[in-house]
Each structure stands twice: as C-alpha cells, then as structure tokens.
Amino acid sequence: MPHFKNRTDDQEEILVMEDGNTPRLSRQHSEGFQHHQHSQLRARLDIQDNLEECDLIEGGNTCSRSCYSWWKYYVLDTFGDDWLFCLLLGISMALISFAMDFCILKLQETHVFFYNDLTPNPILRFLLWTVYPLLCIIFSVSVVQLISLNAVGSGIPEMKTILRGIVIHNYLTWQTLISKVIGLCFSMGSGLPIGKEGPFVHIACIMSNLLGQNVKGFKRIFSNETRNVEMLAAACAVGVSCTFAAPIGGVLFSIEVTSTYFAVRNYWRGFFTAVCGSFVFRMMDVWISNEATITTLYPTNFSGDFPFDPLELVAFSLMGLLAGLGGATFVYMHRKIVFLIRNHGHKIFLHKNKFVYPCIVTLVVMIISFPDWLGQFMGGKLTQKDSLEHMFSDQSWSITTDEDIKAVWADPNIFVSLLFFIVFQFVMTAFCVSLPVPAGVFFPIFVLGAAYGRLLGEAMTSWFPDGIHEGQNSIFIQPGGYAVVGAAAFSGAVTHTISTSVIVFELTGQISHIIPVMIAVLIANAAAQWLQPSIYDSIIQIKKLPYLPDIHSKDGHLYNKYVKDIMRRDIIFCSYESTCRQIQQMLQTTDYRSFPIVDNVESMTFLGSIRRVFLERALERALQYNQLQSPSVSYGDLKELEKYGDRPVVDNKAAIFGSITRHEANSKAMPANSNLLGVPDGVTSQDYSTWYESQLDKRMDFSKCPMDGAPFQLVDTTSIYKAHTLFGLLSLSHAYITEVGQLVGVMTLNEIQDYLEGRIQIEGNRGPGHPGHSGHPDREERPAGGTSATVRSTFELDPMHIIHK
C-alpha cells in the first residue's frame, strides 16, 4: 500500500482536480464540492509520486533497492527531510565556496606573477597587467552570454523578489548555476573591485532548488510552495555564512535584505544550515591549508582592557553620519551610471556589442591601478583581501614595523595613499558592479568603508598621539578599530542593514568595539535611509521588478484611505451566464492566468476564480465535435499549478538586456481561427461551421472546470495601510475587492505601489469605470464574460513585461 505524504500548507491556494464523474457544480454546495475535488487532486498527486518511487525501486538492482529503502525508511523517517536537506545544502555550499575561493586565488596570484616575475621590461609588464584581466572579463561575459543571462549581477534583488512570491523563469536552473560559478571565478580573478557574497547567495538558492528537484527524498519539499520558500531563505543564509564564515551575521543579513516579514519558525533552518556551511568551510582550511585550528578570516588583537576613550564616541558618531552620506551617494551614483548606459549607451556605441562596455571599464581600472604608475599611490598590487588585512592592522601605519604595509602605503604618505584608494575604489566599484558579469557589491564597499575608517583613525592618531586624555588615564587611539567601525557603517549604509555589525565581529573575532560599531551603524542607516533606498532596492527599481514600497511615519493618512479609492473597478470576469464565444474572446484578448467568476452580471455575487488553463480545457471540450474524448488537465499541468499557484511570473532576460512583448510561459493563447480541432471526417465544412457557431452561442459548462472557491479578497472599506500590511505579510500579488459579497473591483501590487509613490491621486470615491491612474495609460481589452471592461496590465511593461498571473 502506498504511503501518502502529508502536504499541509496554510498559504497554498485550493486547487481541484478535473474528474469526469463528478456531478455538476451546485452553487449552494460549492464549498463542499471544492474541498472534495481538492482532496482528489492531492490523492492523485501522491499516488503519482509513489508510483514513481515504486518504478525506481523495481527498475534497479538489489543494491539500489536496499540503499533507497534505507534512505527513505530509516534516514528520512528518523531525522526528517528538513534536517537532512539543510545539512546537505550547508556541506555542498561549503565545498563549492572553498573551491571557488581556491580558483579565484590562483587567478589573482597568476596576475601578480605576470607583473612581478615574468619579465623586467616595463612595457611588457604593463601589457600583461592590463591584458590578463581583460581576457578574464571577456571569458566571464562570454560564459554568461552563451549559457545563461540570468547569471548577471548580484542575485540578491532577484531572490528578494522570488521570496515575495514572484516566479522568475529559468533563474534557479543548472544552466544559471554553471554560468554563475564560472563567470564569478573569472570576474573576481580579474582583480576588479567586485564581490562574491551576492552571487554566492544566488548560487546557494540554485543548489537548494536543484536538490529539491532532483533528490527523490526531497521532492516533497520542492512540491510544497511554502516549504520551498523556507528552504530558499535558509539558502540565502548559508550563502552569506560560507562567504565570511559568519553564521550568525549571515542569517541576520539574509533576513534583512531578502525578507519584509520573517516567520520565526524558519529561524532554526537558517542557523542550522549556516552553521553547517561555515563549519565545513573553515575546516577545509584546517584539512587542506594546514591551519592549526578554526580561526576568523581577519583576526585582530585590539586592546580589550581600554579599547577606546569615551570621548571617541563623538568621532565614531561623526563617522556614522559621513558613512551614511557616502553610502547614499554610492547608491545614487550607481543608479545614474546604469541609466546612462541604458538610455544613452547607443550614442557612445556601448550597445553595439556586449563586450565593449566591460572591456572599457576593465582597461580603465587596470591602467589607473598599474603599480608603476598611479597604482603605487593606492596599493595597486594588493587584492581586496590583502587590502582589508592591512586596514585592520593593530598598529598605526605611521609607527608600524610591518615592512609590507610601509612599502605599499608610505609613498608619498599614508594619508594621500588612503585618499587615492578611497576615491578610486568608490568610483570604480560603482562602474564594475554594473558590468554584465556575476558581480557582488558587499565586499568592495566593505573594504571601502574600512579604508575610510582607517583614514579617520590615522588622522585621530596624528592629532592625539598620546590619547585624548593625556597623563595616567590616557588611552592610545587604535586606528584599526576605526577601520572596523567604518567597514560596518559604510556597508550598512549601502545595504540598509544592521547585521553588518555582527558580521564584522565574526570576521575579526573581537567585540571590544561593539558600542562604537552599533552607534555608527545606526546613525549611518538613519542618514542613508532618509536619502536613498538600499543598493538592492535600487537594483529592483532599475530592473522594474515588482516590489512593495515601505510605509513611513509621515504616511499616517493611510489609515483613513480605503482600497475602494485606488482599486480597479473595470475588470474582466466570467459568469455562469457567459457563452463559449465570450470565453473564447476573453482568452484571445488577454493573457491573465486566472479570472474571477460571478453568479451573473446583475447580482455580481463573487464565487471564486478559475485558472486560465482550466478554462482553455473546458472550452476545448465544449467545442469538440463528437465529444467522445474529453481533454483533461495533464498531471504535469497540475504539478506546475501546485508549485507556482497564483503567483506572477517574470522573465528575467528583459530585466538585464531589454524588453519582451508577451509572456511565453503558462499562458497558451487560443488559436485565432475558430476550427480548433479541424473538420471531422464525414462532416461537410458548412455543417461543421453551422454547428460550431451554435456551440459558441451556448452557455459555458463550468461543472468540469476546477475553481478556487477561496481566493484572497478584501472588503472595499479596508484601509490601505491594512492592505499594505497583508500584501507584505502574505506575499500577495492581487486581491479581489467585494462589497456585501459582490465583486466590485480588484487591487494589485501595482495600485499600492503607484499610490505610495504618488502616481495615483485620490479625489473622493471614484465611480465605476474610472481606474483613476494618472500618467499611466490603460490597456484596452475587448469584453469578456458578458460585460465590457478596460483593463491595465498589473505591472508596467517598460522595460520588463511582468504579467499578473
């Protein structure tokens, strides 16, 4: 007897199975009928899963059957699939991270070797210094272009969108994984100021998705939408922890940058996965690199007894304020650079070829950082990791005995070198993270913040060489502590996170500066949030991904504004009185994945919603001439619907390089010609045409059309503030608006976004037929379901076409 899996999911929409033997839907008993069909669908899916398992066992040899039985009935049943999934994900990501770090290190060492040891000729050294990174970037761009364009960029903005309930097609596939891993290794190996954290979060999420898809025991996780999202959240945490060996900061950072609301019940998954990943990641150094024990990545030895003078808190506060202003400026500059390239790139031939812009930026960076030229004034020979180790040095550079630091930063003096380094890193990072290669932004701005803190710390040391209070109570200033504070504050300002303070403690292994770090990070966040969005939210806006703007304290009037003031009253719907012709016309002229259904046009009693694929099957059945074979929804369609539910779908290619004009997945449009199945044998064309026209004028039969009887709906007097909270908490894309059980409108994420950003002006209650959007042209649609309607796409189409599903 097959074992039926328990698939409880509070957020799953109710899907029902098409069954030819079920009675016609009774409106009075619709709720019980929906639950009956829902249970039938679940049983059908579970039976199919168990049949697949039986086929797997019977098709293998004795050894494979024994291994599979041991895995399923002992390991999974004893420990639980969640624990094993998190353990396997953490270990696999640690191995991938260590292998990538090794490859990146060898590529960077090769670059330095070409400059130092290959030839003494200065011209050849210059050519090798510039050509080698150029070849790495060209190879990285080629990999991305040939394998998967979804590997471009950080990955955190897209994962934030996915965790909101949006489906981005082909973003978590093995092609994207290969492209991301290879492209990131070569882009970072080139020596450009780009980071690993964001792309590695994307890699971890891809691994989570592939494990759920391909490992038999974990398919229950993948098939359940809510559990799959929970595992993606854990993957985000392990992606950060395997980059910095910071499990606590990794979990907190992933929550801050990817979640608006976080379920505490998922906390243990993130911590367990992050701890497994960071432990294996650091143990690899012990096993392979012959380290004595597990240590921090950037150990420091600051004085723990007297780490700072209380009066230095004033300087730390000022650091936080300046870091907030600098972080906001960085986000603004990055956005302007992207808009400049996109809007005016054709004028400077940057859009002619995808290799032109990366090559230009790489050449400029390498020419400026050439160690025999300007690079000698900004530590041009150092990698980002080496630069960060120098910034966290315990001693002041003016009195240090470290010859390596003196050789790099003492010419002409430490202040000029640090200033040049900060300006160069600030500008070039903004350009490099906009390249069409896998590129993260966190680590470069972390190094930049450390340099900024080091500059202020060295200045304080020169101004107060014996400490602020001279005499017996004097406490010497530690410039390395300022670098730690600056790194946390600046990176926190750019990303709008507080967890950078925890990450910096785990990186350095000391918490002696916990109070200065927290003060600076809080002040930096306050200043940056007042001026600009975070770098990840800015990228979401640049790519026009759907997002929910935050409500600020000044938006208290939202308590007195209602959804009926901003909802769309002109909607396309079905009714039990709709004819086949009207349904066919609706499917031909729209590309929505679901439609509301009402009792009739006069009463407008809201009954639920119907998926597009089910309507297409029902219409095909109604227009079948002999009706001996009833097309039904395939098992693959049901699995697809179960996985994605009613979530909107995004094609991410358009977000990177252009726009598309029509969604290509899960929206199979009806043919334009009326003869769907061809003229049957033995029937004249005239007779068939007469029959076909008569069928189109008959009422649509919804008895065999599965319907969701409980889609999310709001009363028209619900406040916009409450609607905003529900959309963010439940990751909704749309909600139907009812008044005393009657369907009166629909509100989508787009309406809330437009209103909060000032693109909708409320002037009292609008009457029917007036969407009320200023500055956004509506899209005209032909009538469907017995009523005419004017419908606007849920999301703007320029430059990405995102369709409300």
Side-chain angles (χ1 to χ4, degrees), residues 138-414:
I138 291 176
F139 184 79
S140 180
V141 175
S142 302
V143 169
V144 170
Q145 294 290 325
L146 294 175
I147 301 179
S148 176
L149 294 176
N150 288 321
V152 170
S154 169
I156 290 182
E158 289 80 2
M159 288 313 306
K160 184 174 183 179
T161 303
I162 290 175
L163 292 177
R164 255 216 101 256
I166 310 298
V167 178
I168 302 180
H169 276 302
N170 301 321
Y171 199 72
L172 300 177
T173 60
W174 65 269
Q175 294 93 337
T176 306
L177 175 65
I178 295 175
S179 180
K180 198 84 171 185
V181 170
I182 299 177
L184 181 61
C185 288
F186 279 89
S187 60
M188 290 193 65
S190 66
L192 295 181
I194 54 181
K196 173 189 172 186
E197 183 194 33
F200 203 72
V201 168
H202 185 194
I203 292 172
C205 292
I206 298 175
M207 282 297 300
S208 174
N209 190 65
L210 294 179
L211 284 176
Q213 280 183 325
N214 301 309
V215 178
K216 193 64 181 176
F218 298 145
K219 286 191 175 182
R220 288 179 293 182
I221 296 177
F222 178 76
S223 62
N224 188 306
E225 178 186 337
T226 299
R227 294 182 67 191
N228 189 38
V229 171
E230 291 172 355
M231 292 308 170
L232 288 178
C236 293
V238 75
V240 180
S241 66
C242 286
T243 303
F244 297 118
I248 301 176
V251 173
L252 299 178
F253 185 84
S254 66
I255 293 174
E256 286 189 279
V257 300
T258 61
S259 304
T260 304
Y261 296 92
F262 186 79
V264 179
R265 70 175 184 273
N266 303 328
Y267 220 30
W268 71 267
R269 293 185 180 91
F271 272 109
F272 180 72
T273 312
V275 169
C276 293
S278 59
F279 171 75
V280 176
F281 177 67
R282 294 304 294 148
M283 283 301 297
M284 294 296 292
D285 281 332
V286 177
W287 295 331
I288 296 179
S289 302
N290 296 324
E291 290 191 7
T293 185
I294 295 179
T295 60
T296 57
L297 291 180
Y298 302 96
T300 58
N301 295 308
F302 302 143
S303 173
D305 297 331
F306 302 99
F308 57 89
D309 192 288
L311 288 179
E312 290 183 68
L313 293 177
V314 178
F316 291 130
S317 302
L318 180 61
M319 281 184 60
L321 178 61
L322 295 178
L325 298 177
T329 305
F330 178 86
V331 175
Y332 177 80
M333 176 183 291
H334 171 265
R335 187 165 60 251
K336 290 300 181 181
I337 290 173
V338 174
F339 285 151
L340 176 65
I341 299 302
R342 284 191 173 184
N343 299 334
H344 305 288
H346 60 281
K347 298 180 181 179
I348 51 179
F349 307 104
L350 295 183
H351 280 180
K352 297 282 186 178
N353 192 295
K354 298 301 180 183
F355 296 91
V356 174
Y357 176 61
C359 291
I360 292 176
V361 172
T362 303
L363 284 175
V364 171
V365 172
M366 289 300 114
I367 290 174
I368 295 177
S369 63
F370 182 55
D372 292 346
W373 191 44
L374 295 178
Q376 62 183 316
F377 305 125
M378 60 181 73
K381 289 192 297 184
L382 298 180
T383 64
Q384 292 187 89
K385 182 178 180 181
D386 295 335
S387 299
L388 191 60
E389 290 177 349
H390 286 188
M391 300 302 169
F392 287 163
S393 175
D394 302 328
Q395 289 184 321
S396 172
W397 288 356
S398 58
I399 60 173
T400 184
T401 57
D402 192 330
E403 296 298 330
D404 292 337
I405 294 179
K406 288 183 178 180
V408 174
W409 303 103
D411 186 18
N413 62 69
I414 57 176

Side-chain angles (χ1 to χ4, degrees), residues 119-130 370 372:
T119 176
N121 190 310
I123 298 178
L124 291 179
R125 295 171 72 182
F126 174 77
L127 291 176
L128 291 172
W129 178 264
T130 55
F370 182 55
D372 292 346

Side-chain angles (χ1 to χ4, degrees), residues 13-85:
E13 66 175 4
I14 299 178
L15 296 174
V16 292
M17 181 186 68
E18 179 182 2
D19 188 352
N21 298 321
T22 54
R24 183 178 179 88
L25 178 63
S26 171
R27 299 169 194 169
Q28 289 80 6
H29 301 87
S30 60
E31 182 177 356
F33 177 72
Q34 294 301 325
H35 285 290
H36 171 68
Q37 287 193 324
H38 173 256
S39 62
Q40 285 185 326
L41 170 61
R42 291 299 178 198
R44 180 177 175 181
L45 295 178
D46 288 334
I47 290 173
Q48 182 70 20
D49 285 345
N50 285 276
L51 288 177
E52 292 176 1
E53 293 175 3
C54 294
D55 292 340
L56 176 64
I57 295 175
E58 293 176 0
N61 53 32
T62 304
C63 180
S64 62
R65 290 198 299 268
S66 300
C67 292
Y68 183 79
S69 300
W70 177 84
W71 166 262
K72 178 173 178 56
Y73 297 106
Y74 291 95
V75 179
L76 290 182
D77 292 346
T78 302
F79 297 100
D81 49 2
D82 285 2
W83 290 92
L84 292 175
F85 186 91

Side-chain angles (χ1 to χ4, degrees), residues 714-727:
L714 295 172
V715 181
D716 61 338
T717 55
T718 304
S719 67
I720 296 178
Y721 184 89
K722 181 182 291 187
H724 178 278
T725 303
L726 291 173
F727 268 67

Side-chain angles (χ1 to χ4, degrees), residues 585-603:
Q585 189 179 27
M586 180 180 66
L587 294 174
Q588 289 177 348
T589 57
T590 64
D591 45 18
Y592 302 132
R593 282 178 63 189
S594 63
F595 300 90
I597 182 170
V598 299
D599 192 3
N600 54 66
V601 179
E602 289 75 22
S603 66

